[in-house]
Amino acid sequence: MALPQRQTDIGPPHFEQFLPPVIKSNYGKWKYHEVITPGTMKHVAEGGDELYTVRVASPRILSTETIRDICDMAEKYCDGYLRFTTRNNVEFLVSDKSKMDPLVAELKQKKYSVGGIGPRVSNIIHTQGWVHCHSACTDASGIVKAIMDELHDYFTTKELPNKVRLAVACCVNMCGAVHCSDIAVVAVHRKVPTIDDENVGKMCEIPTTVSSCPTSAIRPNPKNKTITINEEKCMYCGNCFTVCPPIEIHNPENDGVAIVVGGKISSLRTDPKFSKLAIPFFFNEPPRWPKVVDAIKNILNVYAENAKKHERVGEWIERVGWEEFFKLTGIEFTFQHIDDFTFMRDTLRTSAAFKY
Amino acid sequence: MSGKHKTPMLDELEKGPWPSFITEIKKATKIGPMADDELGQLEKSFRTKRGYWKHGGIVGVLGYGGGVIGRYSSLPEEFPNVAHFHTVRLNQPSGFFYTAEALKMICDIWDKYGSGLTNMHGSTGDLVLLGTTTENLEPLFAEYSSRGWDLGGSGSAMRTPSCCVGMARCEWACIDSMAICNDLTQHFQDELHRPAYPYKFKIKVSGCACDCVAAIARADCSIIGTWKGNIQIDQAEVKNYADGGMDIQAEIIDMCPTDCMSYDGKQMKINDVQCNRCMHCIAKMTKALRPGKEKGASILIGSKAPIVVGSLLSWVIVPFIKAEPPFEELTELIDKIIEWWDDNAKPRERIGELIEVKGMRPFLEAIGVPPQPQQVREPRKDPFFFWSESDFKN
């Protein structure tokens, strides 16, 4: 069968063709919105037109079968109009109010998780993990599933002081937004990579490999056409592995995950913040990473009990102080918590005022 | 559905209320043999706590240098159906809007040429098709592109821009983030498809400081909607919030970062000169408060994840720029920004890192932006500063 004529550099289809009529006629003219339930909201336009949104979770990895099922529901209840959110949720865009409740009922009956809107836990931003990445030192989707099974009520019903944005990154490349999330998991290495000298010489460009190291731990070894690593300087980032695969950073018995907290993206109230280290290490415990899940639940619960309304995790911690955060959560403070890299000057305490 | 691989660990992840990615991969075993070997290899990863994918290889479609990421199993004999398991990035429409008809078409073609597995969506924003072979790349590209769908970016190139829902469904959008995203994507088609940059370059567009697309943390060029002038207040709606049980003093006035608001039980007052436009009050009282009428964008530069010398959040470069169609001023500025980076960066150096090395002044001078207090949290603390000949002339 002949293939159709290919086109190049056409770019994405223009979004306008995918907008429901109520959006087209009220584009840029929305007046306000109301969260009706944790999974539904209403947008009202200047002229009074209404749009109802129903949000459900997705595991981000979707089969075409499930996408077709979602499409069938969109055709049945909202003329086929739907969108995805930046956090991998599905939103059905319902113009006819009377169809919203039946849609929600069918979604629930089909075991879709309806929720994620407002001051609660939304979907976890995450990376590919062992499913599809060469660089992964944990599985992202597996941890996400294990965490969200436990936090499911915080997606569908329970309220928190504010939104809690979770993220999981399966290595420090952080394709997910771990570095600015309320609570996040990032996979880390703890051992200096092993060097396959013979293949380094064959496969790698030595200058590129040397310059890839942020701590200048790598030196060329011209005699053997390879490199050497100063073990005292290496902080296991794996950037050398990215440019030179025979420098093997993976070490299954010593790799694992860290938990970071207190990051935020929005400029609301306080400036956007990086996440900071809460727990330096857990071993990988597939399939359900129980210690990681318990640790996240603990941090979330302590936040829920102690934060003021509208405070994000990082805002709450900054108000009470990090010394209080470690006390309230019972998390041990270790040498790993004290920054000895680029942020050291910004993070050491330079005041005689602190708490116990 | 039982494949040839036993997956006792993965089967555990089909239990529980959250939607299961394992169930999704199992569903795709009906499409072809790839998903089953994906499951087998993944089970092995769970058992041995390590991945079995090789570094990305160079594969693609004719005339493009990106959009496809080669992915090969390191265990091709054990899992032959994922020996090739390449990723295809389809450029998503602005705002991730679809119709069922369009999505079903995408599924039909993907079932024919790939594994039946997707990511909706990838971290940068693309609609990601997970798992196909080298020989299927040209046919699937012909099928998609002839129907109006193009590939996204990968490698050292302009990456697929992405944006929030913007004016399509948000009363806070100060700029048309979806149109800006679409038009910039079209403007950079060559740079997006043919990697010629020192490293990746990401653009994200958010309609306001809520920043739903995480532009400030995840884009080399962050475009964030803002306004000038007074916040519009509807006093009757303020009263409705109070009557509805909102503690306006505690939730709004006391949480204002600049202490520029007051409420005496009848009238809300805002000292707009002091307001830093953070969006807290507007986001919490959306019926009563609205952004000011003069809309535009703030341009921030440089954010990235930790590799190599630590994470960066984007820095304010241009506090306010008009962003109305056809977005010429904005596009010209971004062209200048990229030109300076492209001329000066070493391989694998992001623009934020380059500015750290070269200094902010050469960058701002190159793009023709004057120094302004909005660009810094505070002025420098140390007494070491450069002078250039041009400073002495003034």
Side-chain angles (χ1 to χ4, degrees):
Chain A
M1 198 178 69
L3 284 168
Q5 180 61 46
R6 80 210 285 275
Q7 304 184 79
T8 54
D9 298 309
I10 55 171
H14 196 277
F15 56 86
E16 202 178 278
Q17 61 193 283
F18 305 122
L19 301 179
V22 65
I23 286 186
K24 268 189 202 162
S25 54
N26 293 289
Y27 195 91
K29 295 182 219 158
W30 296 101
K31 191 170 180 207
Y32 68 88
H33 76 281
E34 284 174 350
V35 178
I36 305 169
T37 69
T40 57
M41 57 182 163
K42 172 170 93 165
H43 284 80
V44 180
E46 305 280 4
D49 284 351
E50 295 176 346
L51 172 71
Y52 293 83
T53 298
V54 178
R55 185 183 290 179
V56 301
S58 98
R60 191 172 83 126
I61 294 181
L62 287 179
S63 63
T64 47
E65 181 178 322
T66 296
I67 295 173
R68 285 195 186 89
D69 188 54
I70 291 166
C71 289
D72 287 342
M73 307 261 266
E75 279 168 343
K76 188 167 166 188
Y77 295 101
C78 48
D79 306 311
Y81 292 106
L82 74 161
R83 70 177 289 267
F84 288 77
T85 71
T86 52
R87 300 190 76 83
N88 310 318
N89 298 302
V90 183
E91 290 186 336
F92 296 90
L93 304 167
V94 184
S95 303
D96 178 351
K97 186 184 177 184
S98 70
K99 291 186 176 163
M100 182 177 75
D101 289 340
L103 169 60
V104 171
E106 186 171 343
L107 286 165
K108 286 185 176 169
Q109 183 245 323
K110 287 183 153 180
K111 305 282 185 215
Y112 284 92
S113 295
V114 181
I117 303 174
R120 43 185 55 81
V121 171
S122 185
N123 208 339
I124 301 184
I125 291 288
H126 67 100
T127 57
Q128 297 289 21
W130 290 329
V131 169
H132 206 228
C133 186
H134 67 284
S135 178
C137 56
T138 193
D139 186 55
S141 310
I143 298 183
V144 167
K145 167 71 175 153
I147 295 170
M148 287 310 294
D149 277 341
E150 281 295 314
L151 302 185
H152 194 248
D153 289 350
Y154 285 104
F155 185 86
T156 55
T157 48
K158 282 188 188 171
E159 266 200 26
L160 289 161
N162 201 335
K163 297 173 201 306
V164 176
R165 303 293 204 205
L166 302 177
V168 174
C170 56
C171 80
V172 294
N173 280 313
M174 286 193 192
C175 303
V178 162
H179 62 306
C180 296
S181 293
D182 291 279
I183 306 174
V185 178
V186 55
V188 292
H189 304 287
R190 297 186 302 162
K191 291 279 187 180
V192 176
T194 53
I195 307 165
D196 173 353
D197 289 324
E198 197 185 326
N199 279 318
V200 168
K202 281 187 203 154
M203 292 169 66
C204 309
E205 210 184 66
I206 302 293
T208 311
T209 310
V210 169
S211 70
S212 74
C213 181
T215 61
S216 306
I218 301 181
R219 288 276 173 268
N221 178 351
K223 198 173 131 208
N224 300 323
K225 290 183 180 158
T226 181
I227 53 101
T228 54
I229 298 177
N230 178 342
E231 301 203 355
E232 283 176 12
K233 283 187 174 176
C234 174
M235 43 136 201
Y236 338 113
C237 72
N239 200 41
C240 54
F241 168 73
T242 300
V243 301
C244 177
I247 304 177
E248 177 57 88
I249 186 72
H250 294 102
N251 186 324
E253 292 315 310
N254 286 292
D255 293 343
V257 300
I259 294 180
V260 295
V261 301
K264 113 191 221 292
I265 297 288
S266 81
S267 295
L268 274 64
R269 301 170 300 281
T270 56
D271 287 351
K273 304 174 200 303
F274 289 123
S275 320
K276 288 103 184 168
L277 183 64
I279 303 176
F281 190 75
F282 285 112
F283 284 102
N284 275 321
E285 285 187 287
R288 282 199 171 267
W289 285 265
K291 293 193 182 76
V292 175
V293 174
D294 283 351
I296 288 173
K297 267 179 87 172
N298 175 46
I299 295 167
L300 190 71
N301 287 336
V302 175
Y303 159 73
E305 283 162 21
N306 290 280
K308 288 199 255 184
K309 191 171 181 185
H310 304 315
E311 268 181 339
R312 295 282 291 266
V313 171
E315 293 172 300
W316 157 64
I317 297 173
E318 284 181 6
R319 176 171 58 81
V320 300
W322 282 92
E323 60 275 42
E324 188 75 359
F325 168 80
F326 284 99
K327 191 166 81 184
L328 288 169
T329 55
I331 294 169
E332 185 192 359
F333 191 83
T334 67
F335 281 121
Q336 280 75 28
H337 288 94
I338 303 175
D339 200 319
D340 45 20
F341 195 45
T342 44
F343 294 119
M344 177 174 158
R345 285 185 179 195
D346 301 340
T347 51
L348 296 179
R349 191 185 299 279
T350 56
S351 158
F354 43 81
K355 300 177 187 174
Y356 285 101
Chain B
M1 197 76 216
S2 76
K4 67 176 186 281
H5 300 291
K6 292 271 179 284
T7 55
M9 290 184 98
L10 301 184
D11 295 348
E12 279 299 311
L13 292 174
E14 290 200 275
K15 299 170 185 166
W18 190 252
S20 168
F21 70 108
I22 298 300
T23 304
E24 293 303 309
I25 303 175
K26 287 189 178 179
K27 282 180 181 175
T29 60
K30 296 175 207 165
I31 304 303
M34 284 183 142
D36 195 42
D37 273 1
E38 162 70 35
L39 281 172
Q41 183 171 316
L42 188 57
E43 176 76 15
K44 184 162 182 153
S45 287
F46 270 58
R47 211 167 54 238
T48 58
K49 303 179 186 178
R50 62 160 307 152
Y52 294 99
W53 298 104
K54 291 195 214 173
H55 275 60
I58 310 263
V59 287
V61 301
L62 201 64
Y64 280 16
V68 181
I69 297 95
R71 187 62 72 203
Y72 301 90
S73 172
S74 63
L75 305 168
E77 281 158 21
E78 199 173 344
F79 305 105
N81 296 308
V82 291
H84 294 204
F85 200 66
H86 308 326
T87 301
V88 178
R89 291 181 179 162
L90 276 192
N91 197 144
Q92 83 289 357
S94 284
F96 310 103
F97 280 89
Y98 296 95
T99 55
E101 186 190 1
L103 272 183
K104 284 181 176 178
M105 178 279 291
I106 288 169
C107 290
D108 290 345
I109 294 173
W110 186 232
D111 282 353
K112 194 168 158 191
Y113 295 104
S115 71
L117 286 170
T118 73
N119 282 155
M120 302 292 286
H121 292 76
S123 289
T124 302
D126 297 282
L127 194 171
V128 172
L129 305 169
L130 280 182
T132 188
T133 57
T134 306
E135 64 269 21
N136 277 348
L137 292 172
E138 278 299 333
L140 80 82
F141 178 63
E143 299 266 19
Y144 283 123
S145 66
S146 65
R147 289 170 175 81
W149 293 77
D150 206 339
L151 301 186
S154 67
S156 294
M158 175 60 72
R159 297 299 188 85
T160 310
S162 72
C163 65
C164 70
V165 71
M167 291 183 171
R169 199 201 54 194
C170 184
E171 65 270 27
W172 303 329
C174 293
I175 50 175
D176 191 347
S177 54
M178 300 213 317
I180 293 171
C181 179
N182 182 77
D183 292 7
L184 287 175
T185 309
Q186 292 293 352
H187 176 74
F188 285 111
Q189 281 298 291
D190 186 33
E191 293 82 353
L192 202 147
H193 290 132
R194 292 166 201 90
Y197 284 162
Y199 204 15
K200 61 186 89 172
F201 194 93
K202 299 188 180 186
I203 298 175
K204 292 189 192 293
V205 195
S206 277
C208 78
C210 293
D211 196 2
C212 289
V213 76
I216 206 162
R218 304 181 73 184
D220 297 274
C221 178
S222 320
I223 303 169
I224 299 176
T226 187
W227 71 91
K228 284 182 173 176
N230 296 351
I231 290 177
Q232 304 172 67
I233 310 176
D234 182 335
Q235 298 289 354
E237 288 291 352
V238 173
K239 187 171 183 305
N240 283 340
Y241 277 104
D243 294 346
M246 178 183 270
D247 182 345
I248 291 177
Q249 186 64 40
E251 291 184 43
I252 308 297
I253 310 297
D254 293 348
M255 295 194 104
C256 169
T258 62
D259 207 12
C260 73
M261 309 178 74
S262 63
Y263 179 63
D264 61 5
K266 294 185 194 106
Q267 282 261 313
M268 175 170 280
K269 286 188 184 146
I270 300 177
N271 179 4
D272 285 276
V273 178
Q274 283 302 314
C275 172
N276 67 0
R277 293 159 291 103
C278 82
M279 287 296 295
H280 170 73
C281 59
I282 293 172
K284 303 306 166 196
M285 304 181 80
T286 188
K287 289 183 184 173
L289 304 176
R290 313 190 70 183
K293 286 181 177 166
E294 189 186 352
K295 308 277 174 58
S298 298
I299 309 298
L300 300 86
I301 291 290
S303 69
K304 54 178 273 299
I307 292 288
V308 181
V309 281
S311 315
L312 296 175
L313 280 156
S314 280
W315 303 307
V316 173
I317 303 299
V318 178
F320 190 89
I321 186 170
K322 282 277 176 200
E324 280 156 17
F327 313 115
E328 276 167 353
E329 204 183 337
L330 190 60
T331 309
E332 278 169 24
L333 177 71
I334 295 171
D335 281 341
K336 279 191 268 185
I337 288 167
I338 292 175
E339 189 187 345
W340 178 81
W341 169 66
D342 196 14
D343 285 348
N344 289 283
K346 292 184 296 192
R348 303 190 79 233
E349 190 171 42
R350 300 280 288 268
I351 191 167
E353 296 167 323
L354 179 66
I355 293 172
E356 279 191 314
V357 171
K358 295 265 182 195
M360 187 56 90
R361 178 173 183 163
F363 171 62
L364 292 179
E365 286 182 333
I367 63 169
V369 171
Q372 299 153 76
Q374 288 78 15
Q375 292 160 341
V376 295
R377 199 176 289 135
E378 56 189 15
R380 77 159 68 231
K381 297 175 189 125
D382 59 61
F384 315 124
F385 39 89
F386 291 107
W387 294 93
S388 72
E389 281 306 313
S390 63
D391 297 319
F392 299 129
K393 284 172 193 143
N394 295 320

